[in-house]
Amino acid sequence: MLEFLAGVIIAFVVSRADVASTRLSVALMVLGLVSIVASSFLDKPHGFVRVLVWGVPSVFIVLGALVAERASLFPKLTWLKILGDSSYSLYLTHMIAIGVAKLAIYIAGVERWTAPLALRIPLLVITTIFCVSVGLVFYFCVEKKIAQFLKRLERGRRAALYMPAE
């Protein structure tokens, strides 16, 4: 819930502030990424510590990316648009995908929180790629199909409203 609230606050701030700074965007994103990597040195965080360790760096990354977009730091990339379009599917599937990845890591005999850093970082990257892949498959195979069906249904309803009565 706190991360969701953070997203609302980010949206509010970005809609009100007209900041387009390359330096600020890079600083925010680097700070966020370094903080997340540094968190891998900690034991598994719980409760509010989890919000501080993962939520705050995530806010920095998102805020930095939004400032970078305003500063035209990144070119418009189709794959990023697709990733943004699929964000709801990613949200719906990520916890299941993380659970599957955790099970696979457990079956492989790796203890995620005590494994050496040289193993934890690749596991984080692979898990992220897996989660995004599952979300994208769900987006193209389920969410997009439902959206298309609902659009056809809505067009049919609108067309029926304009037909003359018999």
Side-chain angles (χ1 to χ4, degrees):
M1 294 293 272
L2 291 175
E3 284 101 347
F4 179 80
L5 178 61
V8 170
I9 292 169
I10 289 171
F12 179 78
V13 167
V14 169
S15 71
R16 299 278 191 258
D18 189 22
V19 178
S21 166
T22 302
R23 285 186 181 154
L24 177 62
S25 65
V26 170
L28 286 167
M29 289 187 286
V30 168
L31 179 62
L33 289 170
V34 167
S35 298
I36 286 178
V37 169
S39 75
S40 64
F41 289 106
L42 301 173
D43 287 333
K44 185 177 179 181
H46 296 283
F48 191 70
V49 173
R50 185 185 67 78
V51 173
L52 293 175
V53 169
W54 291 333
V56 172
S58 297
V59 166
F60 290 148
I61 293 168
V62 171
L63 197 52
L66 290 170
V67 171
E69 182 180 42
R70 286 243 174 103
S72 300
L73 187 59
F74 302 117
K76 298 215 182 280
L77 301 172
T78 304
W79 67 271
L80 281 177
K81 180 172 180 347
I82 293 169
L83 200 58
D85 290 346
S86 68
S87 64
Y88 187 63
S89 289
L90 292 167
Y91 166 74
L92 290 176
T93 61
H94 81 281
M95 290 307 292
I96 295 168
I98 288 172
V100 170
K102 284 166 66 173
L103 180 62
I105 292 166
Y106 174 77
I107 290 171
V110 177
E111 175 51 52
R112 294 183 344 252
W113 298 107
T114 58
L117 185 60
L119 183 58
R120 282 187 275 170
I121 290 174
L123 286 174
L124 175 66
V125 170
I126 291 166
T127 300
T128 301
I129 291 169
F130 178 67
C131 289
V132 170
S133 299
V134 169
L136 286 169
V137 167
F138 189 84
Y139 170 68
F140 285 111
C141 294
V142 178
E143 182 183 347
K144 224 173 166 182
K145 303 279 187 213
I146 291 171
Q148 290 167 349
F149 171 76
L150 292 174
K151 281 182 186 175
R152 283 194 307 271
L153 192 64
E154 181 61 26
R155 273 189 238 127
R157 281 190 193 156
R158 274 192 258 140
L161 289 175
Y162 296 110
M163 293 187 129
E166 294 181 30

